[in-house]
Structure formats: structure tokens, C-alpha cells
Amino acid sequence: MRQHLVIIGNGMAGIRLVEEVLNLSPDRFAITVITKEACPSYNRILLSSVLQGVCAFEDIQTHPLTWYQENQVTLRLDEAVQVVDTKTKKIITNARALTYDRLVFATGSDPFILPVPGADKNGVMAFRTIKDCETILSNANTHHRAAVIGGGLLGLEAAKGLIDLGMEVDVVHLSNRIMDRQLDRKASSLLKQELEKQGMRFLLEKETEQILGEKQATGIRFRDGTEIAADLVVMAAGVRPNTKLAQESGVPTGHGILVDDRLCTDVPHVYAVGECAEHKGIIYGLVAPLYEQTKILARELCDQPGLFYRGSVVSAKLKIAGIDVFSSGDLFGDTLDEWSMHQGTKRHYKKLLFNGDCLAGACLVGNIDQSSELVELMRKKTPLSDKEKEQLLNGKGRSKQIRLMPRSDTICQCNAVSKGTIVDAMKKAALTTVEQVAIETKAGSSCGGCKSLVSELMQDVQAGRCEEVAPFIESVCACTNRSQYDLAHEIKKKKLVTFDIVASSLNWKKRDGCSVCRDSVGYYINRFFPDRAPRKQSAVEETDGTFTVAVPMIGGMWKGEQLGLLEQVVRTYQLPGVYLDETSKLQIKGIPLEQVEQVQSALDLPITTPYGKQLHVVLAQDKEGWESGKELADRLFAHFKGDMFPAEIVVSFGEQKVKRMPDMTIRETILGWECYLLSEEKEKLLFMHESTIGFYRMICVLLHSYSEKALYGERINDWIEKEGRITVLETLYASSLRNRLEVSKKKQEVVLSVH
């Protein structure tokens, strides 16, 4: 029986989520979409094109009613959700009551209407929906002078549409320059000049105080006492996430509906996506991040996790005929290195900002053909040489770069369509026009900013010039183009045993590397060639030249013999004392260099490598009488004492009330032992075993397998999801492997294949 998936909102995020779910698992859900609008889905970002007369309403419709019927999606038009009861999983709308198994808030955002006197008069309207667009168009026939409040993207596009409808238009903006959040002063000034040539008038640094008129708006009065005439006032001063229903339903909200990296809210089986969702303090209002979120949420809904939303590189393009403007990334960082050029005769302006070797921000006016390429460079944090930076600024060699662009690179940022998808579609369907590509792949069907790139790709494909290159894999750091996987493979294959040899053999851009790549290289060398890797005592040098050693906690407590040993060591070597640090570790400070080895030997501390992370085994404070748990914790700690792991890992016996959530929790029940994984603060049972020795062997195999297979920096939860939970469980339950495990620390007998 299908589960019932209810999506509140039929905007660009809501409908894209439906598509993604249907692609992944078409028979999994009975889907209901509820929307307050009276029409099926349309491309909201092309509303300004409708206003400008570039296209008609029917041209921006993305999913006709027949599409919903063909895909068995129930669409509830002109229907508002009034109540959501997350405990009983019931929804009440103004027309019916229904239940859900999974619920997604895709409620988008509402236009911000300035709370000034007169904002409710006739002739004052927002510009957000197709209904708003229809209202503006009908008013344009009887009104003559318009004022647009807001000099951002939407306001400028609306103003241009009103000019094209034959109206006189003033743009009112609070800042001293238009698009002040997206453009620097130079770009803003150039854009203003171009728009003024098209008939737009600007009133900057103006704060609206009142809309004038009786019932009908007749003008605007500003805080400085000045006034303008206007019988049509369009509010385009920003939007606010629509969180009211979520708040009333008990779903946690901040500025938006709070979600984690999987787009889950804090309420079970309730999710949020799009403009209404707040992820790590950021609310994304552009279409490309929304589509990235829907792809991840669809996998979560279909129980195919493994992708996590880490945030997006956002970009903005102005959609006004004859004026091309693009901006993305950080344009205002004080520490960024700025490269810019201005060709006055062509009215072209380009500004690139670099954080070290990586592009951090870009602003283009006049020619935005490089926009997709620039976004990809920022998204991947691709390191560039000075020559490459100069070529990027001058646009030289761009055609070659497009042909050489990896197949995985995104061409259409709005719809997240890669070069590979476009090229395959061109070849498979023998496409000959950009419009055909848009229908087949959606590339270029939203803002249209990538159409020139698609056209250029088409010429390359038709001429047989489109070269294939390896897909992009995220590099370890800016010092190299190698991925973690590639780095591990090359070190093992070529038997590279020092950082200098690795940097030389693998063509490092910075021969001395950085802390990130040096740690990664050190970790892999130690993993594959442990006899060649450097070793260090577990001591930290302090600024006064003495050393500090930390005494590990075993099974969540320091035993009497440990404390006795500490006292003996302190007395013997006449050390200042023992300190408790903020992470509850006991530290012996003030050890002279010549005594470090003796102190560590007396304390039986392991010699470790300077790379890799450690295993921490802790016992819950309320489990002091849990002897079997303490014994198992001791054995586990002793088995992996001093070993390195790809990432720090905390195994808790019983629930911990500590700041850092454990990665794994061990429990003992009347049926045996259970191992739970904690991911995103949610607990999932991984495996269980009825006997202590059987469970111990399984958890040892799990940790050894993780240590041997995972890439550096990869946490155990992420590694299990990458490998696949079933694959990992098959390894744990393979009797042959468990039988090979020698519990008494003969690790060579449990070493598993690396790749």
C-alpha cells in the first residue's frame, strides 16, 4: 500500500520535489499537492518576462493539469491548509480533512508589504504571483504613472515591464544604489545608466512614509517630506518566508522553517524545502538552491539517503532585454584579492574576487557568457594560477574551456542541468535548436541565462569538437586537483612514503602544501606503510618549552590504579600536578623534554602517528554498576588503543549527556547487545547480537573495516551510507570474517581490502 505524501505548496520547489520523487520511486507514494493558487505550476521567475511582453502566461506554465493526471498526482487548487496536527498526522483545509504519512512544507514566501499608511489603497499591489501579474497588466490599461518600491532584481524587472506597457515609472529605493546587495558601486552605476536610457527614473535614499490618496492611490510621500505622483504602486521590497502554518503546527522556526542537512524538521515525518526553509541560518530565495534541496529531500523521502545539503553558491541575473547583469559569491570581503576590467566603449564591466587561489565572487555587466563557468569555479573552489586568473578576466580561451569542461559541470544553474546531460540529449535526440534542448532537458527554460552556452555547446557537438574529460571530483584542497580517493590510490600504488615525494610525484601546485593536504597525505602513508610513517609520543609542547600529556578515560572513568599511577608519576618526576581540562581529560603539565618518554612509559601511553583521529570509548555516568558494559568498554578501548581512524569517533555505552553527540551507542537488553548509529541526532539500530563475544567481534570488524576503507575525514555514519547499510551488515555477519578476527589484537588477521 502506498504511503501518502502531502506537499503544501505548488511552487517551483514543490513541483520539482514531486518530479524528483516520481523519478526515484514512482510507485512509493500517493501524492497530494495543496496550493492556494488557482492554476497549476508555472515558472515564477519568468513573470517579469510576461510583464515585459516577452512571453505569454501559457508560455511559462510548466505542468498542465494533464501532467498531474498522467502521473496520478492529486492537485488541490485554490485550497488553503488551516490546521496541521503533527501528532495525529491530520490536515484540515478549507475544503476537506486528510491524513499523511510524510508532510512537506513548500509554502514559499510572501511579498513584504511596507507597513505604511495607505498600503491598502486601490492601486497598491505586490508582484509575486501570476494573479499579481494579471492585476498589474489590467491596471496598466487605465493607469499612467507607476512607482515601484524596491530597486532590487524583482523591482527593476517589474519597472521595465511597466515601461514596456507604456507607463511612466519611478523606482524608489532606500539605499544609495540599486541592487546594492548584488552589485558593487561601479556595476550598480553602469546598470542605472543603462536603465535610465530605457526611461526608468530613480529616487534613491528615499524612505516611504505614506501612500497618498482617498481610496485610490495617487502618490507617495517620503520621510524627507517630498512627494511624487503615482496611481499604481508596486511593492517589490523583498519577501518573507511563509512560516505561519508551520509555527501554528508546532514545527520549529527561526526566520524560516528550521531544517537539517536532509531537509528534515525537528518533527518526525515533517520536512521543509525551498524559500520557506532555513538551513544553518540561511534562507535561499533563488531557484538553483531550491532544486538542489529537492533532489536531496526526494532521496530522504524515498529512503535513499546519502546526499546532504551543505548550502549553495548563489547567483543572480537580471532579466531585462538588452541589459545583462550577473553576480555571485562574495563581492564585499575586505581580504579578497580584486581583479577587474572596464571596457567603456562596449559598456562591459567584470570584477573577479579571489580568496587566495580560488574564485570567491564575481560581478559581470554587459557580457555574462562566463556566468556558468564562474559559478562552477566557485562551487568547486578550483585553485587558479595567476595566468589562469588573467585568462578568466580577459575571457581568452573560453571556447576551449567550454569544450574541455567536465561532463558533470552544471550549465543551467537554475535547473541544475549538467553539460553531460545536454550533450547526451543533443546526440541521442539529434537536437538542432536551443529550444529543443530546453524541452528535452529543461536547460535554459528558466531564466534563460545559459542559452548562449547551450548554443555554443551545440555548435561544438555538431562540429565534433566536444572533447570528453574525466568527471570532476572534489579536490583535497587548493594545493592539488587530486581527490581523497585519487590521493589514497596513488600513494598506495606508487608506494609514496613522504609528503615531499607525494607533492613531487603528483604535481602539487604548492610544493610545501597546507595543513589540510599534509594531514591527508600523512594519514594515507601511515595507513598503507605504517613502518615508514613518522611516530610521535602523545605529548604536546607548550609555549614555555615543557610538554603536556593527557591521560585517556577508559570506559567513562579513571580507575583507582590509574589515579594511583598518576600520583606516583607526579611524585617521582616532581611535576607541578594534574589538571582537568574543559573536555574532561586529565593532563599532566610541565614535563621537561628529557622526561617525556619516561613519563609516558610509566603511564603506559601509546605511541601514535601525528596523523589520523582517535577512538573514544565512554560509559554513561548513570551506568556505574553496569559491570558487563564496563568490561566490554575496557576491551574495546584496549583493542584500539593508539590506533588511528579517518575521523574522530565516540562510542558510548549507554546514553551520554555530553556536548558532543556520540557516533555510536551501545546498549544491553534482555535479548542481547545492540549497536545504534547516531546521525543528525537521530538514532538508528545498525545491528544486534545475543552474545557478548559475538557482539564484540562484530563491532571490532565494523571499526576495522571503517578504519581501512573510509577516506580521510569521512565520519563513520557518512561512510556507512556511502558503502550502503546492507553491504556493511553483510560484512559484519559474514561468519568467515568474524572467525578470522583474532580478538587479542592481531590486526593483520582482520585487515580488509582497502578499495
Side-chain angles (χ1 to χ4, degrees):
M1 183 177 178
R2 293 183 176 186
Q3 288 191 322
H4 191 194
L5 170 63
V6 175
I7 301 172
I8 305 175
N10 192 39
M12 299 183 73
I15 193 63
R16 177 55 73 95
L17 178 63
V18 174
E19 288 183 317
E20 296 286 355
V21 169
L22 291 176
N23 287 335
L24 284 175
S25 187
D27 301 322
R28 185 180 184 86
F29 293 106
I31 302 175
T32 298
V33 179
I34 304 172
T35 175
K36 291 188 287 187
E37 294 199 66
C39 60
S41 179
Y42 58 91
N43 188 339
R44 194 183 303 277
I45 61 177
L46 290 182
L47 281 175
S48 58
S49 298
V50 174
L51 204 58
Q52 293 167 34
V54 177
C55 55
F57 282 127
E58 51 269 27
D59 296 329
I60 67 171
Q61 189 179 66
T62 58
H63 298 74
L65 289 173
T66 53
W67 182 90
Y68 295 86
Q69 294 164 358
E70 291 168 357
N71 289 279
Q72 300 181 332
V73 175
T74 301
L75 177 62
R76 301 294 186 191
L77 293 174
D78 207 11
E79 195 165 318
V81 177
Q82 296 173 330
V83 176
V84 174
D85 187 334
T86 58
K87 294 182 179 176
T88 59
K89 296 186 176 180
K90 289 184 179 177
I91 293 173
I92 298 175
T93 75
N94 57 339
R96 74 197 76 241
L98 62 162
T99 61
Y100 68 85
D101 295 298
R102 309 282 186 99
L103 173 66
V104 178
F105 284 90
T107 46
S109 56
D110 294 325
F112 176 61
I113 303 298
L114 293 180
V116 296
D120 57 348
K121 295 184 188 303
N122 294 332
V124 180
M125 58 200 67
F127 179 45
R128 180 65 181 164
T129 66
I130 205 163
K131 186 177 180 180
D132 294 334
C133 196
E134 289 173 332
T135 304
I136 292 173
L137 285 170
S138 65
N139 277 271
N141 295 323
T142 55
H143 296 63
H144 305 287
R145 184 157 183 172
V148 177
I149 300 178
L153 265 180
L154 191 63
L156 297 179
E157 291 172 359
K160 181 61 169 61
L162 292 169
I163 288 175
D164 291 345
L165 291 170
M167 301 189 75
E168 294 182 46
V169 179
D170 291 303
V171 175
V172 179
H173 196 49
L174 193 60
S175 175
N176 61 2
R177 67 179 195 272
I178 58 175
M179 288 187 67
D180 50 299
R181 293 185 180 181
Q182 294 92 8
L183 303 180
D184 67 359
R185 192 168 299 280
K186 180 74 174 179
S188 177
S189 175
L190 289 170
L191 174 62
K192 179 170 172 285
Q193 292 172 24
E194 291 299 316
L195 291 172
E196 285 173 336
K197 290 177 184 175
Q198 297 195 16
M200 212 174 289
R201 297 189 298 261
F202 291 96
L203 297 169
L204 303 180
E205 297 184 271
K206 290 288 187 182
E207 183 178 0
T208 301
E209 183 179 70
Q210 182 180 356
I211 308 298
L212 303 174
E214 295 296 329
K215 293 183 178 179
Q216 168 67 41
T218 58
I220 299 175
R221 176 180 296 143
F222 301 109
R223 192 74 66 186
D224 61 7
T226 59
E227 297 179 359
I228 60 169
D231 52 4
L232 182 66
V233 178
V234 177
M235 298 273 195
V239 295
R240 298 290 184 271
N242 190 341
T243 61
K244 185 171 183 289
L245 181 62
Q247 281 181 319
E248 293 173 348
S249 308
V251 179
T253 60
H255 294 295
I257 302 171
L258 301 177
V259 295
D260 60 18
D261 290 352
R262 291 174 172 170
L263 287 308
C264 303
T265 71
D266 201 34
V267 178
H269 311 299
V270 177
Y271 313 83
V273 69
E275 291 179 306
C276 65
E278 178 180 341
H279 174 260
K280 295 183 177 176
I282 299 176
I283 298 169
Y284 294 91
L286 299 172
V287 67
L290 272 53
Y291 286 173
E292 292 175 21
Q293 293 178 0
T294 59
K295 193 178 290 291
I296 291 161
L297 178 53
R299 291 180 63 117
E300 181 68 21
L301 291 170
C302 296
D303 289 337
Q304 299 179 29
L307 292 179
F308 300 94
Y309 185 65
R310 307 299 193 195
S312 300
V313 175
V314 296
S315 60
K317 293 178 184 173
L318 188 67
K319 297 177 289 299
I320 293 180
I323 302 176
D324 291 320
V325 175
F326 161 86
S327 78
S328 182
D330 186 358
L331 295 180
F332 307 106
D334 294 334
T335 60
L336 300 178
D337 186 17
E338 177 182 328
W339 296 46
S340 63
M341 60 165 287
H342 179 207
Q343 295 177 301
T345 53
K346 295 182 179 179
R347 293 177 295 181
H348 288 180
Y349 173 68
K350 182 186 294 184
K351 178 178 176 180
L352 305 176
L353 293 110
F354 296 91
N355 184 1
D357 294 333
C358 299
L359 184 66
C363 173
L364 309 177
V365 178
N367 183 345
I368 63 171
D369 288 349
Q370 281 182 288
S371 56
S372 293
E373 179 186 5
L374 296 175
V375 171
E376 283 298 296
L377 290 171
M378 280 183 268
R379 188 173 66 83
K380 296 174 182 175
K381 298 181 180 177
T382 306
L384 300 169
S385 65
D386 285 350
K387 184 178 180 181
E388 289 170 323
K389 291 177 183 177
E390 188 175 348
Q391 287 178 337
L392 198 63
L393 184 67
N394 296 327
K396 293 180 179 177
R398 177 177 163 273
S399 179
K400 181 182 177 182
Q401 290 176 357
I402 292 172
R403 292 205 303 274
L404 290 174
M405 189 181 289
R407 286 172 55 84
S408 59
D409 272 15
T410 303
I411 299 298
C412 177
Q413 300 293 337
C414 294
N415 294 288
V417 185
S418 69
K419 172 190 169 184
T421 300
I422 297 172
V423 170
D424 290 345
M426 287 176 178
K427 291 179 178 177
K428 183 178 180 181
L431 306 179
T432 57
T433 67
V434 173
E435 288 72 25
Q436 289 174 337
V437 173
I439 294 171
E440 195 73 21
T441 68
K442 294 186 182 297
S445 63
S446 293
C447 78
C450 64
K451 284 184 176 179
S452 62
L453 207 57
V454 174
S455 176
E456 194 169 335
L457 259 182
M458 180 168 284
Q459 293 173 25
D460 287 336
V461 170
Q462 291 173 344
R465 297 193 299 261
C466 199
E467 302 172 33
E468 302 291 344
V469 298
F472 169 80
I473 299 175
E474 189 172 359
S475 60
V476 173
C477 65
C479 303
T480 177
N481 290 329
R482 304 277 180 174
S483 67
Q484 289 281 359
Y485 179 89
D486 192 24
L487 178 61
H489 178 78
E490 292 295 316
I491 288 175
K492 183 182 181 186
K493 178 183 175 183
K494 297 179 179 177
K495 296 182 172 55
L496 310 176
V497 294
T498 69
F499 180 84
D500 290 340
I501 295 174
V502 170
S504 174
S505 302
L506 303 183
N507 300 317
W508 237 244
K509 293 184 177 181
K510 286 175 61 179
R511 286 303 171 87
D512 56 348
C514 65
S515 59
V516 176
C517 60
R518 293 189 77 88
D519 282 353
S520 296
V521 169
Y523 173 79
Y524 292 123
I525 291 174
N526 185 74
R527 189 163 103 184
F528 302 133
F529 313 105
D531 295 338
R532 303 294 298 273
R535 296 275 164 169
K536 72 167 186 178
Q537 296 287 346
S538 303
V540 177
E541 185 175 7
E542 304 291 353
T543 54
D544 63 358
T546 64
F547 288 77
T548 296
V549 298
V551 182
M553 181 187 292
I554 303 175
M557 61 181 291
W558 289 282
K559 296 181 178 180
E561 55 266 35
Q562 275 185 295
L563 297 176
L565 191 59
L566 275 173
E567 180 187 14
Q568 183 179 344
V569 168
V570 170
R571 288 181 181 277
T572 301
Y573 295 96
Q574 299 181 345
L575 300 174
V578 178
Y579 301 82
L580 182 66
D581 72 5
E582 58 184 8
T583 60
S584 299
K585 289 181 180 176
L586 288 179
Q587 295 184 340
I588 303 178
K589 293 181 175 292
I591 308 171
L593 174 61
E594 60 274 14
Q595 291 182 348
V596 169
E597 191 170 346
Q598 296 167 321
V599 169
Q600 290 185 316
S601 177
L603 292 172
D604 191 26
L605 293 177
I607 298 175
T608 64
T609 75
Y611 308 106
K613 307 298 181 182
Q614 301 295 311
L615 170 73
H616 303 273
V617 181
V618 294
L619 186 72
Q621 293 179 356
D622 59 351
K623 299 289 184 181
E624 291 184 3
W626 185 22
E627 293 302 325
S628 55
K630 289 170 64 177
E631 181 183 352
L632 193 56
D634 283 351
R635 293 182 66 181
L636 196 63
F637 177 82
H639 186 81
F640 291 97
K641 182 179 177 182
D643 286 3
M644 66 172 195
F645 285 85
E648 195 158 314
I649 177 170
V650 176
V651 178
S652 170
F653 283 73
E655 284 77 14
Q656 287 291 320
K657 297 178 181 178
V658 296
K659 293 180 181 178
R660 187 200 192 288
M661 292 290 289
D663 301 279
M664 299 165 59
T665 298
I666 310 298
R667 295 199 184 101
E668 185 180 19
T669 71
I670 57 173
L671 298 178
W673 294 84
E674 297 174 340
C675 175
Y676 291 84
L677 281 179
L678 276 81
S679 178
E680 306 298 337
E681 301 185 3
K682 293 180 181 178
E683 216 175 51
K684 290 184 179 179
L685 178 65
L686 181 63
F687 66 89
M688 61 178 296
H689 200 283
E690 65 276 12
S691 73
T692 302
I693 186 63
F695 182 82
Y696 173 62
R697 285 172 173 167
M698 289 180 72
I699 197 168
C700 284
V701 170
L702 173 66
L703 292 173
H704 277 298
S705 184
Y706 164 62
S707 173
E708 294 296 328
K709 288 187 175 181
L711 299 172
Y712 184 62
E714 194 172 31
R715 293 186 61 185
I716 189 167
N717 292 301
D718 296 335
W719 169 74
I720 289 175
E721 289 184 358
K722 184 186 74 176
E723 292 285 303
R725 185 177 290 256
I726 294 176
T727 301
V728 173
L729 289 175
E730 286 175 346
T731 302
L732 301 186
Y733 283 101
S735 58
S736 59
L737 267 177
R738 283 188 287 122
N739 291 337
R740 287 168 55 198
L741 176 65
E742 179 59 54
V743 182
S744 62
K745 193 73 173 180
K746 294 182 179 177
K747 293 172 187 169
Q748 65 275 19
E749 297 184 20
V750 296
V751 170
L752 307 174
S753 60
V754 175
H755 293 297

